[in-house]
Amino acid sequence: MGARLIVACAHAIFWSIAPSTAACAVSLEHRSIALSAIVTGSSIAQILGLPLGRVIGLALGWRMTFACIAAFTVALLAVLFFAVPKMSAAEPFKVSQLPSLVKNPVLLSLFVGTAVIATAYYTGYSYVEPYLQQIGGLSDEAITTSLMMFGVAGVIGSFLFARFYVGKRRRYWYIRVSLAGVALALALMMPAALGGMGSVLAVFVLWGICGVSFNVAYQSEILRFAPPHAAAVATAIYSGIFNLGIGGGSAVGGAVSTAFGMESVCFAGALIGAAAVAIACVFLIPAMRRTRPVE
């Protein structure tokens, strides 16, 4: 448990600084590509991580899986040390400046919307394995293959972001479509599970593309509207809220499955996702239109 807490802290710190570091390392017109690269790496990890971990664990034992991760991480640290360019330190952020971030209507809408859509996403995703087993009757191998599709879809989603997330009108519809896609995928999980592996894969493609799309789009808007000296803090708040959404979604899914059965979990997530779409349409996008970006 102690090791898990340390890993979780490292994970949170990494994701609080990685997007802003990538964005600052490139010119403004290449920011979307840099953020897309970050998300692409995460998506590829989803594809390769599970099978590699299983192969190492089966061949050498589960302890060696963690040993390999530790060795690889040390090597990666050395690579980042030489690969990431030196950047001048930003103006120090003071705790007294924290309310200014919340007063920003765009950032406030992004933070609230993140909490809602992350809760919706993980209401379904946290229980997708037992859902597919109990509702769809899929085998363990089929479920593993289906879950890997999230990684494939993530790569597609990051490519679509880099290709299409340019211009005001595109940004607005991109946010709406990605959020609506997550809600729709959750709503379709029941007929997909009953329809077999092919329909499950189709829904997972939609779910994975839209899940990556809203994630990277929200991070892009945070960097666009947060003051430069507070960009890392704003992304850290986003990361923390997203993690709260993960925990909240797991709690909601557990409560729904206990009270109404496993078949109701994804419907609950879809309803919460619809609320996230409403927040974006009613509050976020109008605030983006009224507020001048920092750059």
Side-chain angles (χ1 to χ4, degrees):
M1 186 182 295
R4 183 66 183 88
L5 289 172
I6 294 172
V7 171
C9 289
H11 173 272
I13 294 171
F14 175 84
W15 281 110
S16 69
I17 62 175
S20 59
T21 301
C24 292
V26 300
S27 57
L28 184 61
E29 61 268 22
H30 294 121
R31 175 180 288 180
S32 61
I33 298 176
L35 292 174
S36 175
I38 295 287
V39 177
T40 300
S42 178
S43 300
I44 293 173
Q46 266 191 306
I47 302 171
L48 300 179
L50 180 61
L52 281 177
R54 294 187 69 177
V55 168
I56 296 172
L58 291 173
L60 304 175
W62 66 267
R63 290 175 178 83
M64 286 305 298
T65 302
F66 289 98
C68 290
I69 293 172
F72 182 80
T73 304
V74 172
L76 182 60
L77 177 63
V79 171
L80 290 175
F81 182 82
F82 292 103
V84 178
K86 292 184 178 180
M87 290 175 279
S88 58
E91 179 186 344
F93 185 84
K94 300 177 182 178
V95 178
S96 59
Q97 297 174 298
L98 197 59
S100 64
L101 295 180
V102 181
K103 291 179 182 178
N104 185 312
V106 176
L107 295 181
L108 180 59
S109 299
L110 286 168
F111 293 152
V112 174
T114 297
V116 177
I117 190 61
T119 300
Y121 189 104
Y122 284 94
T123 294
Y125 187 78
S126 298
Y127 297 89
V128 70
E129 184 171 352
Y131 190 95
L132 293 177
Q133 286 176 334
Q134 296 179 27
I135 306 300
L138 270 66
S139 65
D140 291 341
E141 292 76 13
I143 292 173
T144 299
T145 302
S146 300
L147 291 176
M148 289 173 62
M149 184 55 66
F150 272 103
V152 175
V155 174
I156 298 172
S158 61
F159 169 79
L160 293 175
F161 174 83
R163 176 66 179 82
F164 294 108
Y165 200 75
V166 179
K168 288 185 177 180
R169 292 184 178 180
R170 282 189 177 185
R171 285 162 47 214
Y172 299 153
W173 72 253
Y174 196 95
I175 289 174
R176 293 191 191 100
V177 170
S178 61
L179 294 173
V182 172
L184 178 62
L186 287 163
L188 292 175
M189 271 305 299
M190 170 70 82
L194 295 175
M197 187 172 175
S199 55
V200 169
L201 291 176
V203 170
F204 276 11
V205 168
L206 173 65
W207 193 351
I209 290 175
C210 293
V212 165
S213 295
F214 89 78
N215 191 350
V216 69
Y218 272 26
Q219 291 184 69
S220 176
E221 295 305 325
I222 286 174
L223 294 174
R224 189 185 303 273
F225 287 95
H229 67 282
V233 176
T235 54
I237 294 173
Y238 171 86
S239 178
I241 292 174
F242 200 97
N243 282 317
L244 286 175
I246 294 174
S250 299
V252 171
V256 170
S257 64
T258 301
F260 304 103
M262 184 62 66
E263 63 275 8
S264 302
V265 167
C266 288
F267 286 126
L271 290 175
I272 301 172
V277 176
I279 291 171
C281 294
V282 176
F283 298 103
L284 174 59
I285 292 175
M288 290 168 60
R289 286 173 172 156
R290 293 193 307 265
T291 307
R292 184 182 179 87
V294 172
E295 68 244 15

